mmCIF file of all heavy atoms in Angstrom:
data_model
loop_
_atom_site.group_PDB
_atom_site.id
_atom_site.type_symbol
_atom_site.label_atom_id
_atom_site.label_comp_id
_atom_site.label_asym_id
_atom_site.label_seq_id
_atom_site.Cartn_x
_atom_site.Cartn_y
_atom_site.Cartn_z
ATOM 1 N N GLY A 1207 91.002 79.671 87.296
ATOM 2 C CA GLY A 1207 90.307 78.465 86.856
ATOM 3 C C GLY A 1207 88.817 78.769 86.747
ATOM 4 O O GLY A 1207 88.283 79.590 87.487
ATOM 5 N N ASP A 1208 88.150 78.101 85.829
ATOM 6 C CA ASP A 1208 86.739 78.372 85.569
ATOM 7 C C ASP A 1208 85.854 78.236 86.803
ATOM 8 O O ASP A 1208 85.030 79.106 87.082
ATOM 9 C CB ASP A 1208 86.198 77.450 84.471
ATOM 10 C CG ASP A 1208 86.764 77.767 83.101
ATOM 11 O OD1 ASP A 1208 87.271 78.896 82.904
ATOM 12 O OD2 ASP A 1208 86.705 76.893 82.226
ATOM 13 N N ILE A 1209 86.022 77.152 87.543
ATOM 14 C CA ILE A 1209 85.166 76.922 88.710
ATOM 15 C C ILE A 1209 85.425 77.982 89.771
ATOM 16 O O ILE A 1209 84.485 78.552 90.333
ATOM 17 C CB ILE A 1209 85.364 75.499 89.270
ATOM 18 C CG1 ILE A 1209 84.843 74.474 88.261
ATOM 19 C CG2 ILE A 1209 84.663 75.334 90.618
ATOM 20 C CD1 ILE A 1209 85.157 73.034 88.614
ATOM 21 N N PHE A 1210 86.694 78.279 90.036
ATOM 22 C CA PHE A 1210 87.026 79.308 91.019
ATOM 23 C C PHE A 1210 86.445 80.656 90.590
ATOM 24 O O PHE A 1210 85.856 81.375 91.398
ATOM 25 C CB PHE A 1210 88.549 79.416 91.190
ATOM 26 C CG PHE A 1210 88.958 80.471 92.167
ATOM 27 C CD1 PHE A 1210 88.940 80.220 93.524
ATOM 28 C CD2 PHE A 1210 89.352 81.733 91.731
ATOM 29 C CE1 PHE A 1210 89.303 81.197 94.437
ATOM 30 C CE2 PHE A 1210 89.714 82.716 92.626
ATOM 31 C CZ PHE A 1210 89.691 82.456 93.982
ATOM 32 N N PHE A 1211 86.610 81.005 89.321
ATOM 33 C CA PHE A 1211 86.120 82.274 88.785
ATOM 34 C C PHE A 1211 84.606 82.386 88.984
ATOM 35 O O PHE A 1211 84.103 83.401 89.478
ATOM 36 C CB PHE A 1211 86.482 82.361 87.298
ATOM 37 C CG PHE A 1211 86.179 83.679 86.657
ATOM 38 C CD1 PHE A 1211 87.007 84.776 86.862
ATOM 39 C CD2 PHE A 1211 85.081 83.824 85.826
ATOM 40 C CE1 PHE A 1211 86.738 85.999 86.255
ATOM 41 C CE2 PHE A 1211 84.805 85.040 85.218
ATOM 42 C CZ PHE A 1211 85.633 86.129 85.429
ATOM 43 N N GLU A 1212 83.879 81.343 88.623
ATOM 44 C CA GLU A 1212 82.417 81.341 88.789
ATOM 45 C C GLU A 1212 82.034 81.447 90.260
ATOM 46 O O GLU A 1212 81.108 82.184 90.620
ATOM 47 C CB GLU A 1212 81.812 80.078 88.180
ATOM 48 C CG GLU A 1212 81.953 79.972 86.679
ATOM 49 C CD GLU A 1212 81.203 81.055 85.929
ATOM 50 O OE1 GLU A 1212 80.115 81.469 86.387
ATOM 51 O OE2 GLU A 1212 81.712 81.503 84.891
ATOM 52 N N ASN A 1213 82.726 80.705 91.116
ATOM 53 C CA ASN A 1213 82.405 80.720 92.543
ATOM 54 C C ASN A 1213 82.674 82.071 93.181
ATOM 55 O O ASN A 1213 81.986 82.465 94.124
ATOM 56 C CB ASN A 1213 83.150 79.608 93.280
ATOM 57 C CG ASN A 1213 82.545 78.257 93.032
ATOM 58 O OD1 ASN A 1213 81.386 78.139 92.639
ATOM 59 N ND2 ASN A 1213 83.322 77.213 93.238
ATOM 60 N N CYS A 1214 83.676 82.788 92.701
ATOM 61 C CA CYS A 1214 83.929 84.137 93.227
ATOM 62 C C CYS A 1214 82.677 84.985 93.092
ATOM 63 O O CYS A 1214 82.205 85.576 94.065
ATOM 64 C CB CYS A 1214 85.098 84.800 92.492
ATOM 65 S SG CYS A 1214 86.722 84.246 93.022
ATOM 66 N N PHE A 1215 82.120 85.046 91.893
ATOM 67 C CA PHE A 1215 80.941 85.877 91.669
ATOM 68 C C PHE A 1215 79.737 85.361 92.436
ATOM 69 O O PHE A 1215 78.940 86.150 92.946
ATOM 70 C CB PHE A 1215 80.651 85.995 90.174
ATOM 71 C CG PHE A 1215 81.641 86.861 89.469
ATOM 72 C CD1 PHE A 1215 82.690 86.311 88.763
ATOM 73 C CD2 PHE A 1215 81.546 88.242 89.536
ATOM 74 C CE1 PHE A 1215 83.623 87.113 88.123
ATOM 75 C CE2 PHE A 1215 82.470 89.060 88.903
ATOM 76 C CZ PHE A 1215 83.507 88.494 88.188
ATOM 77 N N LYS A 1216 79.599 84.052 92.551
ATOM 78 C CA LYS A 1216 78.479 83.487 93.316
ATOM 79 C C LYS A 1216 78.560 83.873 94.790
ATOM 80 O O LYS A 1216 77.548 83.912 95.482
ATOM 81 C CB LYS A 1216 78.441 81.970 93.181
ATOM 82 C CG LYS A 1216 78.004 81.501 91.799
ATOM 83 C CD LYS A 1216 77.990 79.985 91.727
ATOM 84 C CE LYS A 1216 77.681 79.486 90.344
ATOM 85 N NZ LYS A 1216 76.345 79.793 89.884
ATOM 86 N N ASN A 1217 79.779 84.184 95.250
ATOM 87 C CA ASN A 1217 79.981 84.557 96.648
ATOM 88 C C ASN A 1217 80.221 86.055 96.829
ATOM 89 O O ASN A 1217 80.697 86.494 97.876
ATOM 90 C CB ASN A 1217 81.144 83.754 97.231
ATOM 91 C CG ASN A 1217 80.759 82.308 97.427
ATOM 92 O OD1 ASN A 1217 79.940 82.000 98.281
ATOM 93 N ND2 ASN A 1217 81.319 81.421 96.621
ATOM 94 N N GLY A 1218 79.934 86.843 95.790
ATOM 95 C CA GLY A 1218 80.046 88.290 95.908
ATOM 96 C C GLY A 1218 81.461 88.824 95.863
ATOM 97 O O GLY A 1218 81.732 89.897 96.408
ATOM 98 N N VAL A 1219 82.356 88.098 95.232
ATOM 99 C CA VAL A 1219 83.758 88.506 95.147
ATOM 100 C C VAL A 1219 84.097 88.822 93.691
ATOM 101 O O VAL A 1219 83.826 88.020 92.801
ATOM 102 C CB VAL A 1219 84.689 87.388 95.671
ATOM 103 C CG1 VAL A 1219 86.152 87.756 95.498
ATOM 104 C CG2 VAL A 1219 84.378 87.080 97.129
ATOM 105 N N LEU A 1220 84.702 89.971 93.469
ATOM 106 C CA LEU A 1220 85.142 90.346 92.130
ATOM 107 C C LEU A 1220 86.435 89.612 91.805
ATOM 108 O O LEU A 1220 87.419 89.728 92.527
ATOM 109 C CB LEU A 1220 85.374 91.857 92.044
ATOM 110 C CG LEU A 1220 85.995 92.381 90.751
ATOM 111 C CD1 LEU A 1220 85.074 92.109 89.561
ATOM 112 C CD2 LEU A 1220 86.292 93.869 90.879
ATOM 113 N N ALA A 1221 86.424 88.841 90.733
ATOM 114 C CA ALA A 1221 87.638 88.193 90.227
ATOM 115 C C ALA A 1221 88.101 89.045 89.046
ATOM 116 O O ALA A 1221 87.488 89.043 87.994
ATOM 117 C CB ALA A 1221 87.350 86.763 89.790
ATOM 118 N N LEU A 1222 89.162 89.786 89.280
ATOM 119 C CA LEU A 1222 89.625 90.786 88.339
ATOM 120 C C LEU A 1222 90.814 90.244 87.558
ATOM 121 O O LEU A 1222 91.845 89.922 88.139
ATOM 122 C CB LEU A 1222 90.021 92.016 89.158
ATOM 123 C CG LEU A 1222 90.137 93.343 88.483
ATOM 124 C CD1 LEU A 1222 89.936 94.432 89.508
ATOM 125 C CD2 LEU A 1222 91.439 93.481 87.793
ATOM 126 N N VAL A 1223 90.662 90.136 86.248
ATOM 127 C CA VAL A 1223 91.717 89.592 85.387
ATOM 128 C C VAL A 1223 92.468 90.751 84.742
ATOM 129 O O VAL A 1223 91.874 91.600 84.078
ATOM 130 C CB VAL A 1223 91.133 88.662 84.301
ATOM 131 C CG1 VAL A 1223 92.231 88.166 83.375
ATOM 132 C CG2 VAL A 1223 90.396 87.496 84.947
ATOM 133 N N LEU A 1224 93.776 90.783 84.978
ATOM 134 C CA LEU A 1224 94.651 91.783 84.375
ATOM 135 C C LEU A 1224 95.724 91.073 83.557
ATOM 136 O O LEU A 1224 96.035 89.912 83.817
ATOM 137 C CB LEU A 1224 95.325 92.631 85.456
ATOM 138 C CG LEU A 1224 94.438 93.581 86.258
ATOM 139 C CD1 LEU A 1224 95.273 94.302 87.315
ATOM 140 C CD2 LEU A 1224 93.751 94.591 85.353
ATOM 141 N N PRO A 1225 96.330 91.777 82.611
ATOM 142 C CA PRO A 1225 97.445 91.172 81.881
ATOM 143 C C PRO A 1225 98.531 90.714 82.861
ATOM 144 O O PRO A 1225 98.717 91.339 83.921
ATOM 145 C CB PRO A 1225 97.954 92.305 80.988
ATOM 146 C CG PRO A 1225 96.778 93.223 80.838
ATOM 147 C CD PRO A 1225 96.027 93.127 82.143
ATOM 148 N N PRO A 1226 99.245 89.642 82.532
ATOM 149 C CA PRO A 1226 100.260 89.111 83.451
ATOM 150 C C PRO A 1226 101.263 90.153 83.946
ATOM 151 O O PRO A 1226 101.592 90.183 85.136
ATOM 152 C CB PRO A 1226 100.951 88.021 82.630
ATOM 153 C CG PRO A 1226 99.909 87.580 81.652
ATOM 154 C CD PRO A 1226 99.121 88.819 81.322
ATOM 155 N N ALA A 1227 101.725 91.024 83.082
ATOM 156 C CA ALA A 1227 102.714 92.030 83.499
ATOM 157 C C ALA A 1227 102.112 93.006 84.511
ATOM 158 O O ALA A 1227 102.767 93.380 85.490
ATOM 159 C CB ALA A 1227 103.239 92.785 82.283
ATOM 160 N N ALA A 1228 100.870 93.398 84.301
ATOM 161 C CA ALA A 1228 100.214 94.324 85.230
ATOM 162 C C ALA A 1228 99.979 93.656 86.584
ATOM 163 O O ALA A 1228 100.233 94.259 87.636
ATOM 164 C CB ALA A 1228 98.894 94.811 84.638
ATOM 165 N N ALA A 1229 99.507 92.414 86.579
ATOM 166 C CA ALA A 1229 99.281 91.690 87.839
ATOM 167 C C ALA A 1229 100.590 91.522 88.600
ATOM 168 O O ALA A 1229 100.641 91.712 89.817
ATOM 169 C CB ALA A 1229 98.633 90.334 87.557
ATOM 170 N N ALA A 1230 101.663 91.193 87.893
ATOM 171 C CA ALA A 1230 102.975 91.028 88.539
ATOM 172 C C ALA A 1230 103.479 92.353 89.098
ATOM 173 O O ALA A 1230 104.042 92.396 90.205
ATOM 174 C CB ALA A 1230 103.978 90.460 87.537
ATOM 175 N N ALA A 1231 103.277 93.446 88.377
ATOM 176 C CA ALA A 1231 103.730 94.764 88.849
ATOM 177 C C ALA A 1231 102.990 95.161 90.120
ATOM 178 O O ALA A 1231 103.603 95.670 91.068
ATOM 179 C CB ALA A 1231 103.525 95.807 87.760
ATOM 180 N N ILE A 1232 101.690 94.923 90.163
ATOM 181 C CA ILE A 1232 100.908 95.256 91.361
ATOM 182 C C ILE A 1232 101.351 94.398 92.532
ATOM 183 O O ILE A 1232 101.527 94.898 93.656
ATOM 184 C CB ILE A 1232 99.404 95.104 91.074
ATOM 185 C CG1 ILE A 1232 98.964 96.179 90.078
ATOM 186 C CG2 ILE A 1232 98.585 95.176 92.356
ATOM 187 C CD1 ILE A 1232 97.585 95.959 89.491
ATOM 188 N N ARG A 1233 101.542 93.106 92.301
ATOM 189 C CA ARG A 1233 102.009 92.216 93.370
ATOM 190 C C ARG A 1233 103.363 92.698 93.906
ATOM 191 O O ARG A 1233 103.582 92.767 95.111
ATOM 192 C CB ARG A 1233 102.092 90.785 92.855
ATOM 193 C CG ARG A 1233 102.467 89.771 93.943
ATOM 194 C CD ARG A 1233 102.433 88.329 93.447
ATOM 195 N NE ARG A 1233 103.206 88.122 92.229
ATOM 196 C CZ ARG A 1233 102.689 87.849 91.036
ATOM 197 N NH1 ARG A 1233 101.389 87.746 90.874
ATOM 198 N NH2 ARG A 1233 103.461 87.665 89.985
ATOM 199 N N ARG A 1234 104.265 93.078 93.000
ATOM 200 C CA ARG A 1234 105.594 93.558 93.402
ATOM 201 C C ARG A 1234 105.467 94.845 94.231
ATOM 202 O O ARG A 1234 106.110 94.993 95.273
ATOM 203 C CB ARG A 1234 106.453 93.795 92.168
ATOM 204 C CG ARG A 1234 107.896 94.154 92.458
ATOM 205 C CD ARG A 1234 108.774 94.246 91.210
ATOM 206 N NE ARG A 1234 108.192 95.107 90.167
ATOM 207 C CZ ARG A 1234 107.580 94.666 89.054
ATOM 208 N NH1 ARG A 1234 107.468 93.373 88.825
ATOM 209 N NH2 ARG A 1234 107.090 95.508 88.173
ATOM 210 N N GLN A 1235 104.608 95.759 93.799
ATOM 211 C CA GLN A 1235 104.416 97.013 94.538
ATOM 212 C C GLN A 1235 103.902 96.745 95.951
ATOM 213 O O GLN A 1235 104.339 97.384 96.916
ATOM 214 C CB GLN A 1235 103.436 97.916 93.794
ATOM 215 C CG GLN A 1235 103.974 98.476 92.506
ATOM 216 C CD GLN A 1235 102.906 99.184 91.704
ATOM 217 O OE1 GLN A 1235 102.024 99.820 92.275
ATOM 218 N NE2 GLN A 1235 102.975 99.072 90.383
ATOM 219 N N LEU A 1236 102.976 95.822 96.077
ATOM 220 C CA LEU A 1236 102.429 95.495 97.394
ATOM 221 C C LEU A 1236 103.464 94.823 98.286
ATOM 222 O O LEU A 1236 103.482 95.050 99.502
ATOM 223 C CB LEU A 1236 101.183 94.608 97.242
ATOM 224 C CG LEU A 1236 99.963 95.295 96.620
ATOM 225 C CD1 LEU A 1236 98.893 94.276 96.283
ATOM 226 C CD2 LEU A 1236 99.423 96.373 97.542
ATOM 227 N N GLN A 1237 104.338 94.012 97.699
ATOM 228 C CA GLN A 1237 105.393 93.363 98.483
ATOM 229 C C GLN A 1237 106.450 94.368 98.920
ATOM 230 O O GLN A 1237 106.975 94.284 100.033
ATOM 231 C CB GLN A 1237 106.050 92.241 97.674
ATOM 232 C CG GLN A 1237 105.168 91.041 97.511
ATOM 233 C CD GLN A 1237 105.755 89.992 96.571
ATOM 234 O OE1 GLN A 1237 106.625 90.288 95.751
ATOM 235 N NE2 GLN A 1237 105.254 88.777 96.680
ATOM 236 N N GLU A 1238 106.777 95.325 98.071
ATOM 237 C CA GLU A 1238 107.811 96.308 98.375
ATOM 238 C C GLU A 1238 107.345 97.349 99.380
ATOM 239 O O GLU A 1238 108.170 97.946 100.072
ATOM 240 C CB GLU A 1238 108.276 97.006 97.087
ATOM 241 C CG GLU A 1238 109.054 96.097 96.164
ATOM 242 C CD GLU A 1238 109.336 96.726 94.798
ATOM 243 O OE1 GLU A 1238 108.836 97.854 94.526
ATOM 244 O OE2 GLU A 1238 110.038 96.082 94.003
ATOM 245 N N ARG A 1239 106.047 97.566 99.436
ATOM 246 C CA ARG A 1239 105.496 98.585 100.336
ATOM 247 C C ARG A 1239 104.405 97.983 101.203
ATOM 248 O O ARG A 1239 103.217 98.150 100.938
ATOM 249 C CB ARG A 1239 104.927 99.748 99.524
ATOM 250 C CG ARG A 1239 105.983 100.505 98.749
ATOM 251 C CD ARG A 1239 105.416 101.651 97.919
ATOM 252 N NE ARG A 1239 104.382 102.416 98.590
ATOM 253 C CZ ARG A 1239 103.412 103.050 97.940
ATOM 254 N NH1 ARG A 1239 103.345 103.001 96.628
ATOM 255 N NH2 ARG A 1239 102.508 103.738 98.598
ATOM 256 N N PRO A 1240 104.784 97.252 102.261
ATOM 257 C CA PRO A 1240 103.768 96.674 103.146
ATOM 258 C C PRO A 1240 102.809 97.767 103.637
ATOM 259 O O PRO A 1240 103.221 98.858 104.000
ATOM 260 C CB PRO A 1240 104.577 96.086 104.301
ATOM 261 C CG PRO A 1240 105.922 95.832 103.704
ATOM 262 C CD PRO A 1240 106.140 96.939 102.712
ATOM 263 N N GLY A 1241 101.544 97.460 103.581
ATOM 264 C CA GLY A 1241 100.529 98.426 103.991
ATOM 265 C C GLY A 1241 100.018 99.283 102.848
ATOM 266 O O GLY A 1241 99.066 100.041 103.019
ATOM 267 N N ALA A 1242 100.663 99.186 101.692
ATOM 268 C CA ALA A 1242 100.192 99.941 100.528
ATOM 269 C C ALA A 1242 98.808 99.426 100.135
ATOM 270 O O ALA A 1242 98.444 98.295 100.443
ATOM 271 C CB ALA A 1242 101.163 99.775 99.359
ATOM 272 N N THR A 1243 98.054 100.258 99.487
ATOM 273 C CA THR A 1243 96.693 99.878 99.121
ATOM 274 C C THR A 1243 96.472 100.014 97.621
ATOM 275 O O THR A 1243 97.208 100.708 96.926
ATOM 276 C CB THR A 1243 95.651 100.754 99.850
ATOM 277 O OG1 THR A 1243 95.846 102.114 99.478
ATOM 278 C CG2 THR A 1243 95.772 100.600 101.360
ATOM 279 N N ILE A 1244 95.452 99.338 97.190
ATOM 280 C CA ILE A 1244 94.965 99.479 95.822
ATOM 281 C C ILE A 1244 93.517 99.939 95.927
ATOM 282 O O ILE A 1244 92.868 99.757 96.961
ATOM 283 C CB ILE A 1244 95.062 98.170 95.016
ATOM 284 C CG1 ILE A 1244 94.258 97.067 95.691
ATOM 285 C CG2 ILE A 1244 96.498 97.753 94.824
ATOM 286 C CD1 ILE A 1244 94.135 95.810 94.870
ATOM 287 N N SER A 1245 93.018 100.518 94.865
ATOM 288 C CA SER A 1245 91.635 100.974 94.837
ATOM 289 C C SER A 1245 90.970 100.407 93.590
ATOM 290 O O SER A 1245 91.531 100.503 92.494
ATOM 291 C CB SER A 1245 91.606 102.504 94.812
ATOM 292 O OG SER A 1245 90.286 102.968 94.666
ATOM 293 N N VAL A 1246 89.789 99.832 93.780
ATOM 294 C CA VAL A 1246 89.041 99.270 92.658
ATOM 295 C C VAL A 1246 87.744 100.056 92.513
ATOM 296 O O VAL A 1246 86.977 100.185 93.463
ATOM 297 C CB VAL A 1246 88.735 97.775 92.877
ATOM 298 C CG1 VAL A 1246 87.856 97.238 91.766
ATOM 299 C CG2 VAL A 1246 90.025 96.979 92.975
ATOM 300 N N ASP A 1247 87.524 100.569 91.324
ATOM 301 C CA ASP A 1247 86.276 101.250 90.985
ATOM 302 C C ASP A 1247 85.512 100.319 90.052
ATOM 303 O O ASP A 1247 85.780 100.280 88.855
ATOM 304 C CB ASP A 1247 86.589 102.582 90.303
ATOM 305 C CG ASP A 1247 85.345 103.311 89.807
ATOM 306 O OD1 ASP A 1247 84.216 102.809 90.012
ATOM 307 O OD2 ASP A 1247 85.504 104.380 89.192
ATOM 308 N N LEU A 1248 84.599 99.555 90.623
ATOM 309 C CA LEU A 1248 83.849 98.582 89.829
ATOM 310 C C LEU A 1248 82.983 99.279 88.792
ATOM 311 O O LEU A 1248 82.905 98.847 87.652
ATOM 312 C CB LEU A 1248 83.007 97.685 90.736
ATOM 313 C CG LEU A 1248 82.123 96.653 90.050
ATOM 314 C CD1 LEU A 1248 82.938 95.736 89.141
ATOM 315 C CD2 LEU A 1248 81.366 95.838 91.088
ATOM 316 N N GLU A 1249 82.338 100.362 89.196
ATOM 317 C CA GLU A 1249 81.465 101.056 88.256
ATOM 318 C C GLU A 1249 82.257 101.577 87.054
ATOM 319 O O GLU A 1249 81.834 101.426 85.911
ATOM 320 C CB GLU A 1249 80.751 102.203 88.955
ATOM 321 C CG GLU A 1249 79.486 102.575 88.293
ATOM 322 C CD GLU A 1249 78.547 103.313 89.226
ATOM 323 O OE1 GLU A 1249 78.941 103.701 90.346
ATOM 324 O OE2 GLU A 1249 77.407 103.513 88.808
ATOM 325 N N GLY A 1250 83.431 102.150 87.301
ATOM 326 C CA GLY A 1250 84.265 102.659 86.228
ATOM 327 C C GLY A 1250 85.183 101.614 85.620
ATOM 328 O O GLY A 1250 85.874 101.887 84.635
ATOM 329 N N GLN A 1251 85.208 100.431 86.237
ATOM 330 C CA GLN A 1251 86.031 99.306 85.790
ATOM 331 C C GLN A 1251 87.509 99.668 85.694
ATOM 332 O O GLN A 1251 88.176 99.411 84.702
ATOM 333 C CB GLN A 1251 85.501 98.728 84.478
ATOM 334 C CG GLN A 1251 84.144 98.094 84.625
ATOM 335 C CD GLN A 1251 83.597 97.499 83.348
ATOM 336 O OE1 GLN A 1251 82.395 97.537 83.140
ATOM 337 N NE2 GLN A 1251 84.433 96.931 82.501
#
């Protein structure tokens, strides 16, 4: 949502938008492997 998205950045939080299939795949991977991690490279996007 627009307000949430704006507030994320105002509070120093990256709101990262991915295609629905990619977001769902990452969520599924995290659920299947508790403790698994993701890595975000903001500079390299």
Side-chain angles (χ1 to χ4, degrees):
D1208 290 340
I1209 293 172
F1210 179 81
F1211 187 77
E1212 294 296 325
N1213 284 339
C1214 282
F1215 288 99
K1216 289 180 185 294
N1217 288 291
V1219 176
L1220 173 63
L1222 199 156
V1223 177
L1224 291 178
I1232 292 168
R1233 185 175 52 249
R1234 186 174 51 257
Q1235 290 171 36
L1236 292 169
Q1237 288 173 339
E1238 291 171 355
R1239 295 179 41 208
T1243 61
I1244 59 172
S1245 175
V1246 175
D1247 175 2
L1248 178 56
E1249 204 159 10
Q1251 294 181 214

